[in-house]
Amino acid sequence: HRWYPVPMAPPMAADALGRARIELSELLEETRWCEAADVTLIETAGGLCSPIAHDGDNLKLIERIAPTKVVLVADAGLGTLNAVRLCLRALGAMPTVVFLNRYDEQSELHRRNRAWLASEGVTTCVDIESVVEAL
């Protein structure tokens, strides 16, 4: 029931479609956990500060869930360092792995971004296998 047929942040889509407000507490109550699972993935969309509810963004949701590790998916090209650094500041002490999406080893910019992040102590992955290892 949380699917919206318009390409907008969920609270904006709910408003545009005349649906009920989305409260962060409701999203948390609707989330089902398998206690026996070794890994549980919760995917957000739109970026860390994108609203997921009328009263909270993805960062608030992550803070309330209190995961053992966060996977931050970031573009590998221009703007990567700024976007990753801002997100890491917002996430604070939460252990975070950065996945550079669409990473191209042939791109000097992609290689330099990855190297710079690594030099700053950021766990950076460029393929799913390394993300799984990091988790």
Side-chain angles (χ1 to χ4, degrees):
H1 76 101
R2 294 288 181 194
W3 181 83
Y4 302 99
V6 292
M8 298 177 188
M12 293 171 60
D15 290 346
L17 296 168
R19 295 195 187 169
R21 284 178 54 84
I22 304 168
E23 302 296 329
L24 199 55
S25 60
E26 293 171 348
L27 293 178
L28 291 164
E29 288 171 15
E30 293 170 2
T31 303
R32 303 288 179 248
W33 305 101
C34 176
E35 297 298 326
D38 291 332
V39 175
T40 300
L41 296 175
I42 296 179
E43 181 181 12
T44 63
L48 194 59
C49 294
S50 184
I52 193 72
H54 284 85
D55 62 344
D57 56 19
N58 289 318
L59 177 59
K60 280 279 188 242
L61 178 68
I62 293 167
E63 289 170 345
R64 296 276 300 273
I65 291 171
T68 56
K69 201 161 275 189
V70 172
V71 177
L72 173 65
V73 178
D75 185 66
L78 288 175
T80 297
L81 300 179
N82 179 64
V84 169
R85 293 177 80 206
L86 287 171
C87 288
L88 292 175
R89 283 181 190 166
L91 289 166
M94 283 187 236
T96 303
V97 173
V98 175
F99 174 70
L100 295 177
N101 200 18
R102 297 182 186 96
Y103 180 81
D104 179 0
E105 184 64 33
Q106 303 306 310
S107 168
E108 180 180 4
L109 176 60
H110 291 195
R111 289 192 316 272
R112 286 181 178 268
N113 282 342
R114 181 181 187 192
W116 191 91
L117 290 168
S119 76
E120 295 295 311
V122 177
T123 302
T124 307
C125 304
V126 297
D127 56 52
I128 297 303
E129 293 80 14
S130 58
V131 172
V132 171
E133 247 180 65
L135 294 177

